[in-house]
Amino acid sequence: ELDAATLAVRRIINLNHFEAENDPDGRGYDSNVADIAWAADGTLYIVDAGANALLSWTEADGLQSVVAWPDNPVPTSIEIAENGDIYIGFLGEGLAPGAGKIEHWSGGELVETYAGLNTISDILLAGDTLYAVELILFTEEGPGPGRVITVDSSGSTPVAEGLITPFGLALGPDGAIYVSYGTIAFGPGMTGGVIRLDM
């Protein structure tokens, strides 16, 4: 937390210390904070991709482990619905084809898993629509361009394809979706940017 006027550091939530002391997934020290989201009650939820854990933080209770995944699915992203349900995107262990997924949690229980996806780097809830970024798609020729998809219980539907390593999603005030791309350079001179998807 920074002071808005001076940018002086007011507070640090130390995930490295928490991981070293608690190791929620039991796989040894590894912390790589990937995403955060605020719940309506003021709880801050934190996804740690290295620790394979979802953590919560409040002023009163500090950091707490909510759930950990010892099978190393690499959680990368979190969204909280208006009703308080939590959605978490996963890269998938080893970037394996089909190892990516999104989990839907409600009231502390896992209620649905959207599986068989590829390298989910970010998710976005826009109303009732769940969007996701597949960072890389795998074919018989190897890794290729990624895409933005919508996901529901019936499967996934492409929204924008052929994107070079897309990564982050945001909903703009204009109702369009913005996605960053070029986040991993495959060759000299390749640059990143942001694409506007008019929905």
Side-chain angles (χ1 to χ4, degrees):
E1 179 187 4
L2 303 181
D3 183 285
T6 65
L7 298 185
V9 176
R10 283 183 173 176
R11 172 173 29 211
I12 296 174
I13 302 173
N14 194 326
L15 276 293
N16 285 299
H17 177 75
F18 186 89
E19 168 67 4
E21 292 292 316
N22 297 277
D23 188 20
D25 68 352
R27 298 175 58 88
Y29 172 78
D30 186 359
S31 181
N32 180 10
V33 178
D35 201 6
I36 60 175
W38 290 98
D41 65 0
T43 301
L44 176 63
Y45 287 94
I46 305 165
V47 169
D48 191 323
N52 287 293
L54 173 65
L55 310 170
S56 66
W57 178 89
T58 63
E59 189 80 50
D61 298 329
L63 276 171
Q64 303 286 326
S65 178
V66 178
V67 62
W69 296 269
D71 57 336
N72 194 32
V74 193
T76 56
S77 43
I78 180 171
E79 283 279 276
I80 300 179
E82 290 185 5
N83 66 357
D85 285 7
I86 295 174
Y87 293 80
I88 301 170
F90 296 82
L91 203 65
E93 183 177 14
L95 303 179
K101 63 180 180 177
I102 300 170
E103 290 185 352
H104 174 194
W105 291 74
S106 183
E109 300 291 332
L110 177 61
V111 295
E112 191 169 14
T113 299
Y114 309 106
L117 306 174
N118 291 279
T119 59
I120 300 298
S121 59
D122 200 11
I123 60 175
L124 171 69
L125 273 175
D128 294 328
T129 304
L130 177 61
Y131 294 89
V133 174
E134 291 185 308
L135 176 67
I136 300 168
L137 293 181
F138 295 93
T139 68
E140 294 179 356
E141 289 75 36
R147 62 184 181 174
V148 177
I149 58 176
T150 58
V151 181
D152 58 30
S153 53
S154 65
S156 64
T157 303
V159 172
E161 300 184 273
L163 304 178
I164 302 299
T165 57
F167 199 91
L169 284 174
L171 180 65
D174 56 358
I177 289 177
Y178 293 79
V179 55
S180 62
Y181 72 94
T183 53
I184 301 173
F186 284 125
M190 294 184 70
T191 58
V194 176
I195 294 174
R196 179 180 184 274
L197 304 177
D198 190 349
M199 306 310 294

